[in-house]
Structures are given as C-alpha cells and as structure tokens.
Amino acid sequence: MNILKGLELSGTLIFATNSCTQKPATIEKSVVTEKKTTTKIKVDGSYLTPDYQKEVKVNWVGIIIQNIDDHKISVKIRSRADKKKTTCTLYIQATKSRKGIYQATLEGKNVVFTFHQSSVTVSTEYPKDKYALRFYCSGRATIADTYTTIIDFVFGSGG
C-alpha cells in the first residue's frame, strides 16, 4: 500500500511540475486590417500642351513646376520662344490646398493647379473667372489648359 501511495504521490508531483513548466495555451486571433494604398502624385516636373506634338507652326505652351517645400510650388508658364515670339508668360508660387491641388491668386481670382498621374490642369476656381487667365497671354490665348508630363523640357527648345 505504501508503494501505491508513493506512486500516486510521484505522479501528482510529476503532473504538478509538468503543468508549471508548460506554456499556457494561447488563443490566436485573426485580425484583418484594411490596407489603404495611396498613390503619390508627382507634382514637380515639366508639362506641355497637346499642341507641342502637332507641328512646327503651332504655338504650344509649357509649364515647369518645382517644389519649394511640402506645401508650396513654383510655377513657370511660357509659350514657345524658339521660332515664334513668346505669347504667354507667367511666374508665380502656388500653395497646396489639398492632395494634388494647389492654388494661387491672379488678378483677384483663385487659380487652381490640379495634378493628375501624368498631367496638370490649370483653371480658375469659378468658371466665370476663366478670362483672368488670358491676361498672361497676347491675343486671345490663355494659360487655362491641361498639360501633359514630359521629360527633359527646356523653354525655347523643341517644336
């Protein structure tokens, strides 16, 4: 009987020791997180009106955008100057109002620079103010347009 009690006591001690050294069971929770992907829109660069590709006689307009800081850009708009007299010229700074959109004030009107994946659109905040963008061009030309991204553009070249 002492042997049985000894075995029972040994079994209890082994069980108690074993349960103290084992790691407690963990319950794994599967957490699904929604990953938001945001596409960064490149702002700085060179842009041209679609007229640049047409032919030599067309008066195209180009823009060079440079980042000043995280919230401000430098905008230089000029028409071609290689074979024709420059008809549009504007140098201004614009301030970021929200992602991909910058604003400046010209002639008391808000001018909006809206950046897309490979282009920038220059317009006024209110359609009725669009004529303010003609002030920077001679004749009936305007800087209001959608300009397409290009690489290695320098004013006065090409066309």
Side-chain angles (χ1 to χ4, degrees):
M1 190 79 158
N2 284 339
I3 295 177
L4 285 177
K5 281 187 179 182
L7 285 175
E8 184 180 336
L9 183 61
S10 296
T12 304
L13 286 176
I14 290 173
F15 177 74
T17 305
N18 210 9
S19 65
C20 288
T21 59
Q22 288 184 346
K23 294 181 182 176
T26 58
I27 300 172
E28 291 185 30
K29 291 183 181 179
S30 177
V31 178
V32 178
T33 58
E34 188 175 317
K35 190 176 187 180
K36 292 183 180 181
T37 56
T38 56
T39 305
K40 186 172 182 174
I41 297 173
K42 185 178 184 291
V43 174
D44 61 325
S46 300
Y47 302 84
L48 286 172
T49 55
D51 295 334
Y52 179 75
Q53 301 297 330
K54 289 184 181 175
E55 61 179 86
V56 176
K57 295 177 184 177
V58 175
N59 193 15
W60 47 264
V61 178
I63 301 179
I64 295 177
I65 307 282
Q66 295 176 318
N67 287 319
I68 295 173
D69 59 33
D70 289 341
H71 300 288
K72 197 174 276 188
I73 57 173
S74 166
V75 179
K76 297 175 185 172
I77 300 177
R78 280 198 40 208
S79 60
R80 71 183 291 175
D82 60 336
K83 297 185 188 237
K84 293 183 167 237
K85 183 180 174 189
T86 300
T87 56
C88 296
T89 306
L90 172 67
Y91 301 110
I92 193 167
Q93 291 183 0
T95 305
K96 186 176 190 175
S97 61
R98 60 185 183 272
K99 182 182 177 187
I101 298 179
Y102 289 75
Q103 289 189 347
T105 302
L106 296 172
E107 301 299 312
K109 312 295 182 195
N110 284 335
V111 178
V112 181
F113 299 89
T114 307
F115 291 88
H116 310 282
Q117 200 61 27
S118 60
S119 66
V120 60
T121 300
V122 179
S123 61
T124 53
E125 184 177 18
Y126 303 107
K128 67 180 179 153
D129 296 336
K130 68 182 179 180
Y131 298 104
L133 299 179
R134 286 189 174 178
F135 181 77
Y136 301 92
C137 298
S138 62
R140 296 182 340 155
T142 179
I143 60 172
D145 207 339
T146 296
Y147 301 80
T148 305
T149 303
I150 60 151
I151 299 171
D152 298 330
F153 173 72
V154 177
F155 283 130
S157 67

